[in-house]
């Protein structure tokens, strides 16, 4: 007899005949098999599957399993409910993302790698079917987004690092997984609610689906694209909207990010040249996450930048990103490159002088400048503290905008532990301020 149970009711010795998932393509999930290994059981429990069909003629029945364990409660006991031929979750309200307990302690990076591997297959299939005209439904991809969200919750650094390791054949799919993870991580950092976080995760997963409509060979073409090829590749946001279709069911956030993730706040992006006030915060989040993953990945035409290098360079790209979103992103990644200029909550400027391995968002800061007084201070070192606190990092700053062309010399002196003195023209505040008379004390 076939019965449907939840993952928490699953026990070794049961025969799995089907798992209720629409998009899972990993061979493990497609097989019917006798559950013998604890590691397989752990993988299923760690996933977000709502229903699993077992065959009690070929394995142990739930009743006997329940008598061997303390997990099954009357409320969660067996529902004799065969899987429907077309399984679609009916409830539109997404469940909050939660991290399931695991029975076997596994290294976070290993688990992240497994998530990324499964996600890659699922995205490849999803994109392939979209190319063939099949409409994408949120319910189809919600389990995938939830698993990525769970991985981000366990260890954001692990999944983001694994996603950086792409070869050219899998770039588009893993890039989609990476942007999904980065968007979720940024959403959590911004304390968005879990429903919105799921929506922006979906948006990250789908943002480049239009690349499925690009001519063969164009996406991985070695070397620079010529003008005609560039014009074609720049149609991928609008092609993405075409592939997503006009289903009301599809999240508006996903459509927004798909269409606008290559816009820039100064109006020089594509496809429409929209400016900051015309772009949603989700589109601006997508732009930052998209570029960060692209530049930290090896491509056929350029090597990867390190995360700290990427953040440093992105912070200098005037007009490209929303500076507030970029600042939040830096905080969400938890990487402040050494030498980064930051403004503290008490309106002093400091330079990051050391990372904090245990608390990446709380590096060691050397303060050297008081903004209200427009004067340099004797260097003072201390670890950043979580907000709200005077020693909390308010945001990363652009040294060139504060100190002009003297910034490299000032940074070098501060990093060397020297006191800098000088006079500034103009009012204090955020903006370019020519510096004269600077000298080391
Ligand atoms: Fe794109
Ligand atoms: Fe992208």
């Amino acid at each position: 007899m076939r019965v449907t149970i939840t993952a928490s009711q699953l026990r070794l010795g049961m025969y799995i005949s089907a798992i209720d998932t629409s998009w899972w393509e990993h061979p493990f999930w497609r097989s019917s098999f006798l559950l013998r290994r604890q590691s397989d059981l752990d993988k299923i429990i760690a996933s977000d599957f709502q229903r699993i069909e077992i065959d009690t003629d070929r394995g142990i029945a739930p009743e006997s399993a329940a008598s061997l364990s303390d997990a099954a409660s009357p409320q969660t006991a067996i529902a004799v409910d065969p899987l429907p031929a077309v399984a679609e979750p009916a409830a539109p309200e997404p469940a909050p993302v939660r991290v399931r307990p695991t029975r076997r302690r596994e290294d976070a990076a290993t688990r992240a790698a497994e998530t990324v591997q499964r996600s890659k297959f699922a995205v490849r299939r999803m994109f392939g079917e979209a190319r063939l005209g099949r409409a994408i439904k949120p319910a189809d991809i919600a389990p995938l987004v939830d698993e990525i969200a769970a991985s981000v919750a366990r260890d954001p650094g692990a999944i983001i690092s694994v996603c950086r390791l792409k070869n050219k054949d899998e770039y588009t799919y893993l890039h989609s997984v990476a942007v999904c993870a980065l968007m979720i991580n940024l959403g959590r950092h911004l304390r968005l609610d879990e429903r919105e976080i799921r929506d922006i995760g979906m948006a990250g997963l789908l943002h480049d689906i239009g690349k499925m409509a690009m001519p063969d060979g164009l996406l991985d073409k070695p070397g620079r694209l010529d003008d005609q090829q560039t014009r074609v590749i720049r149609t991928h946001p609008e092609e993405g909207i075409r592939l997503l279709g006009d289903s009301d069911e599809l999240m508006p956030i996903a459509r927004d990010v798909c269409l606008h993730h290559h816009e820039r706040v100064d109006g020089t992006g594509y496809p429409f040249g929209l400016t900051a006030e015309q772009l949603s915060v989700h589109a601006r989040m997508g732009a930052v996450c998209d570029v960060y993953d692209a530049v930290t990945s090896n491509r056929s035409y350029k090597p990867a930048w390190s995360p700290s290098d990427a953040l440093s360079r992105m912070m200098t790209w005037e007009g490209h990103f929303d500076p507030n979103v970029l600042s939040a992103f830096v905080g969400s990644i938890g990487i402040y490159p050494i030498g980064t200029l930051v403004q503290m909550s008490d309106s002093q400027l400091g330079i990051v002088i050391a990372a904090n391995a245990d608390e990446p968002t709380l590096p060691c800061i050397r303060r050297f400048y008081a903004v209200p007084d427009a004067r340099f201070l004797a260097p003072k070192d201390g670890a950043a503290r979580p907000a709200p606190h005077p020693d909390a990092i308010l945001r990363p700053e652009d040294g060139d905008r504060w100190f002009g062309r003297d910034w490299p010399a000032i940074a070098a002196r501060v990093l060397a532990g020297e006191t800098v003195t000088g006079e500034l023209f103009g009012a204090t505040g955020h903006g370019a301020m020519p510096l004269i008379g600077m000298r080391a004390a």
Side-chain angles (χ1 to χ4, degrees):
M1 183 176 70
R2 298 195 173 195
V3 297
T4 301
I5 62 173
T6 64
S8 63
Q9 293 174 286
L10 197 60
R11 300 292 180 271
L12 293 177
M14 289 182 173
Y15 188 89
I16 295 177
S17 52
I19 295 178
D20 182 14
T21 178
S22 302
W23 286 101
W24 229 246
E25 204 186 19
H26 191 287
F28 173 80
W29 305 115
R30 288 196 298 182
S31 305
S32 301
F33 61 97
L34 181 64
L35 187 59
R36 299 176 190 272
R37 297 189 303 182
Q38 182 67 42
S39 59
D40 289 344
L41 177 58
D42 289 343
K43 284 179 185 174
I44 297 173
I45 290 174
S47 303
D48 245 348
F49 299 132
Q50 299 302 310
R51 300 194 298 174
I52 298 166
E53 185 187 85
I54 62 170
D55 186 343
T56 58
D57 295 331
R58 306 176 70 177
I60 65 172
E63 289 83 1
S64 57
S67 67
L68 297 174
S69 106
D70 57 2
S73 67
Q75 289 72 29
T76 57
I78 303 90
V80 183
D81 176 18
L83 291 174
V86 179
E88 294 289 348
E93 189 71 26
V97 174
R98 57 192 181 281
V99 182
R100 293 176 182 275
T102 57
R103 299 183 180 189
R104 182 163 63 93
R105 295 181 73 87
E106 289 184 305
D107 175 69
T110 303
R111 296 184 66 187
E114 291 171 354
T115 295
V116 169
Q117 187 72 3
R118 288 196 292 270
S119 302
K120 181 181 69 178
F121 281 108
V123 172
R124 176 180 291 166
R125 178 177 175 186
M126 179 173 69
F127 279 23
E129 298 220 5
R131 181 166 23 195
L132 297 175
R134 184 191 188 282
I136 291 177
K137 297 185 174 75
D140 290 335
I141 57 174
L144 180 58
V145 174
D146 286 349
E147 174 165 1
I148 294 170
S151 184
V152 171
R154 280 191 294 270
D155 185 343
I159 188 168
I160 291 168
S161 298
V162 171
C163 283
R164 288 179 55 214
L165 307 173
K166 310 175 181 69
N167 64 42
K168 70 181 181 62
D169 296 327
E170 61 192 12
Y171 175 82
T172 298
Y173 310 112
L174 280 186
H175 172 66
S176 301
V177 177
V179 175
C180 173
L182 290 166
M183 293 281 273
I184 289 169
N185 192 47
L186 179 54
R188 291 237 171 90
H189 183 76
L190 294 172
R191 300 183 187 278
L192 305 182
D193 68 49
E194 287 296 334
R195 182 178 184 126
E196 187 173 359
I197 287 172
R198 176 186 268 189
D199 287 351
I200 63 173
M202 285 187 184
L205 209 55
L206 297 171
H207 79 282
D208 265 343
I209 196 168
K211 288 189 174 176
M212 293 299 98
M214 297 295 103
D216 289 342
L218 192 56
L219 294 180
D220 294 318
K221 177 181 176 292
R224 294 281 170 193
L225 302 179
D226 63 29
D227 289 348
Q228 172 58 20
Q229 291 166 333
T230 299
R231 273 194 290 277
V232 172
I233 207 80
R234 288 188 169 193
T235 64
H236 79 268
E238 290 161 294
E239 289 294 335
I241 290 296
R242 185 178 64 77
L243 288 179
L244 289 177
D246 53 8
S247 166
D248 292 339
E249 198 181 359
L250 194 65
M251 302 294 176
I253 292 176
R255 299 171 64 82
D256 177 22
V257 174
C258 176
L259 190 57
H260 298 131
H261 66 277
H262 285 291
E263 301 285 358
R264 300 179 179 180
V265 296
D266 64 0
T268 62
Y270 65 89
F272 306 119
L274 302 181
T275 53
E277 59 275 12
Q278 298 172 294
L279 294 167
S280 70
V281 69
H282 303 120
R284 288 177 264 162
M285 291 168 68
V288 171
C289 297
D290 178 52
V291 168
Y292 175 81
D293 182 68
V295 299
T296 54
S297 302
N298 274 310
R299 305 302 306 275
S300 57
Y301 49 84
K302 75 160 192 63
W305 294 349
S306 70
S308 57
D309 203 16
L311 293 175
S312 297
R313 296 190 195 202
M314 288 168 68
M315 286 165 59
T316 68
W317 295 352
E318 189 79 22
H320 197 135
F321 307 110
D322 178 327
N324 292 327
V325 171
L326 181 58
S327 294
F329 180 78
V330 171
S332 75
I333 291 292
I335 298 171
Y336 289 99
I338 293 173
T340 301
L341 178 68
V342 293
Q343 183 164 177
M344 311 301 287
S345 291
D346 62 359
S347 299
Q348 292 187 358
L349 298 181
I351 288 182
V352 176
I353 59 169
N356 181 341
D358 296 328
E359 296 285 353
T361 59
L362 304 174
C364 190
I365 307 294
R366 178 166 295 158
R367 295 155 180 269
F368 69 97
Y369 188 78
V371 173
D373 304 333
R375 67 181 175 87
F376 289 100
L377 307 168
K380 183 181 176 188
D381 298 348
R385 306 283 290 275
H389 191 280
D391 292 338
I393 295 175
L394 194 60
R395 58 176 170 263
E397 298 281 6
D398 181 346
D400 293 336
R401 285 180 59 85
W402 278 90
F403 302 108
R405 62 175 182 234
D406 292 318
W407 169 237
I410 294 173
R413 294 184 187 208
V414 173
L415 287 170
E418 299 175 359
T419 300
V420 179
T421 61
E423 297 175 20
L424 296 173
F425 280 128
T428 58
H430 191 68
M433 294 184 294
L435 174 70
I436 61 168
M438 186 270 292
R439 64 178 174 80

